Amino acid sequence: MVSSIILNSMFKSIPSVLKHAVKVHSNVACRAISSTNSCYGRLLFSKSHEYVNVTDKTARVGVSDHAQKELGDVVYVDLPQVDGQEMAAGDVAASVESVKAVAEVYSPISGVLKAVNTYLENSPGLVNLDPVADGWIIELEVTKPEELDSLMDEAAYAKYLETVE
């Protein structure tokens, strides 16, 4: 594990309110030693600019890097209550408020809501800092893995972005 001293020097430019959330997140050490996405599971994207980061039967959902850039500085994330509710693909999972707009975040796949990123309650800017590692919004237990086939991988998503810009 990367020591706190190294982490502090790496993240000096981050406001102090975010430092704690970034330091304690397990992916920080991974990013510190890897410049690739090897820290992530299978990363897939929807046409509405949500991503799904799939590891085994668990999927974290958030807004893509493209979406967070379009939104601008995120100031609030309205998270759902974790109560084991079933979400269907296309259901509203959360909403993200930025200095520019409020956007709904849709679940790209069906699943059982297992967790929300509580760090976003006090540090919504994590969505801008790193949408996948630190700024994920909800975590689902995947109930319909076949729905993953309708999503785009990183290369297909990059090509899709060329058509919408």
Side-chain angles (χ1 to χ4, degrees), residues 111-158:
V112 177
L113 183 61
K114 292 295 184 184
V116 297
N117 187 350
T118 57
Y119 288 118
L120 298 178
E121 292 171 346
N122 294 317
S123 301
L126 292 171
V127 171
N128 298 112
L129 183 66
D130 189 335
V132 178
D134 300 318
W136 60 274
I137 296 172
I138 63 168
E139 185 174 272
L140 300 171
E141 179 182 317
V142 180
T143 57
K144 295 183 180 179
E146 65 274 10
E147 291 177 343
L148 297 169
D149 296 335
S150 68
L151 301 174
M152 297 172 275
D153 64 16
E154 290 180 84
Y157 183 63

Side-chain angles (χ1 to χ4, degrees), residues 31-148:
R31 282 197 316 275
I33 60 173
S34 174
S35 61
T36 69
N37 284 347
S38 63
C39 302
Y40 308 135
R42 183 175 166 209
L43 200 55
L44 302 168
F45 298 88
S46 70
K47 288 185 176 181
S48 56
H49 306 289
E50 288 87 11
Y51 70 79
V52 178
N53 186 8
V54 183
T55 307
D56 298 321
K57 294 181 181 182
T58 301
R60 286 186 171 174
V61 176
V63 297
S64 69
D65 188 54
H66 170 79
Q68 70 83 16
K69 287 177 183 171
E70 290 292 311
L71 283 168
D73 293 336
V74 174
V75 296
Y76 179 74
V77 179
D78 186 20
L79 298 168
Q81 293 295 316
V82 180
D83 57 6
Q85 72 180 349
E86 290 271 341
M87 289 195 145
D91 283 355
V92 175
S95 64
V96 175
E97 183 179 337
S98 74
V99 294
K100 293 182 182 178
V102 175
E104 291 184 329
V105 178
Y106 301 96
S107 180
I109 59 170
S110 299
V112 177
L113 183 61
K114 292 295 184 184
V116 297
N117 187 350
T118 57
Y119 288 118
L120 298 178
E121 292 171 346
N122 294 317
S123 301
L126 292 171
V127 171
N128 298 112
L129 183 66
D130 189 335
V132 178
D134 300 318
W136 60 274
I137 296 172
I138 63 168
E139 185 174 272
L140 300 171
E141 179 182 317
V142 180
T143 57
K144 295 183 180 179
E146 65 274 10
E147 291 177 343
L148 297 169

